[in-house]
Amino acid sequence: MIRIVARKRLALLETDTHAAFERAREAREAAKEASVRHTVELFAVTDRAERAEATADEVGMLLAGALDELSAGQEELLLKDIALRRLREDLTEALVQARQVFVLVHHGTPVMVYRRREDAYADTAAHAVPMDRDWGPARRFWADAEWLLATFTYDATAHGFRGALTPIAEPVWGAA
């Protein structure tokens, strides 16, 4: 079959072909621009993902360090709790066994606390006080005595120790 094409028809086909080529060129340029935009976005997203991963690694390291510090702190706290319990037990034993404690006082300031009077007498040499010193009570106040060995007795009702100041009676109006 032979087809005869007129000039008019040929011109229309040529115009349609040029229009199709123009649309194809515009589509190609739009595709190229979209490809460039997508590539730029891909690089930006990749960069953000890498930064997020680096931040996550850094946070993970910080968290691991914080957990190590927390563990060490908890261990230290546990050891201190154990030591505190032992001290409480020692104190309870001291309260039950020796219902008295002896405090070495220098001009009203406590220097040392002892469980037994003999320990206090034995340790006085460390404070330049002769062992054979007369440990009489203070006349008015603890501050009046250069050295004083004060006795505190445990009071179960008060759950603590009570000290007693036993002043020496002074003569009234010169009477002896």
Side-chain angles (χ1 to χ4, degrees):
M1 171 167 39
I2 297 180
R3 184 170 201 174
I4 298 178
V5 179
R7 270 184 207 213
K8 189 177 179 184
R9 172 85 178 141
L10 191 58
L12 280 174
L13 286 174
E14 193 175 317
T15 304
D16 285 346
T17 304
H18 285 301
F21 278 125
E22 187 61 29
R23 283 193 308 270
R25 186 185 61 75
E26 288 173 2
R28 199 172 33 247
E29 286 178 10
K32 188 188 264 187
E33 288 175 8
S35 174
V36 168
R37 275 194 320 267
H38 288 303
T39 304
V40 169
E41 287 178 15
L42 178 64
F43 283 131
V45 166
T46 304
D47 184 47
R48 283 195 305 262
E50 288 173 353
R51 281 186 281 145
E53 186 176 329
T55 302
D57 289 343
E58 185 178 339
V59 167
M61 290 174 58
L62 289 173
L63 182 60
L67 288 175
D68 289 343
E69 287 180 23
L70 178 64
S71 176
Q74 285 177 334
E75 183 177 339
E76 183 180 346
L77 187 61
L78 181 62
L79 291 174
K80 287 184 179 183
D81 185 45
I82 290 170
L84 183 62
R85 285 183 187 170
R86 286 181 182 158
L87 288 173
R88 282 185 182 150
E89 289 173 3
D90 289 347
L91 180 61
T92 303
E93 287 176 15
L95 293 178
V96 170
Q97 292 174 1
R99 294 289 182 174
Q100 288 183 330
V101 291
F102 303 92
V103 179
L104 184 61
V105 180
H106 180 65
H107 290 292
T109 304
V111 176
M112 187 69 73
V113 178
Y114 303 95
R115 284 189 185 180
R116 297 183 346 202
R117 184 181 304 268
E118 295 78 22
D119 294 339
Y121 289 149
D123 194 37
T124 54
H127 300 287
V129 179
M131 286 182 60
D132 59 348
R133 176 182 170 87
D134 181 24
W135 292 99
R139 295 216 174 261
R140 286 189 170 70
F141 300 103
W142 286 6
D144 292 343
E146 180 182 358
W147 288 98
L148 175 71
L149 188 61
T151 303
F152 288 85
T153 306
Y154 183 71
D155 185 357
T157 58
H159 297 290
F161 287 90
R162 293 193 187 270
L165 179 63
T166 54
I168 296 175
E170 290 193 23
V172 179
W173 300 96

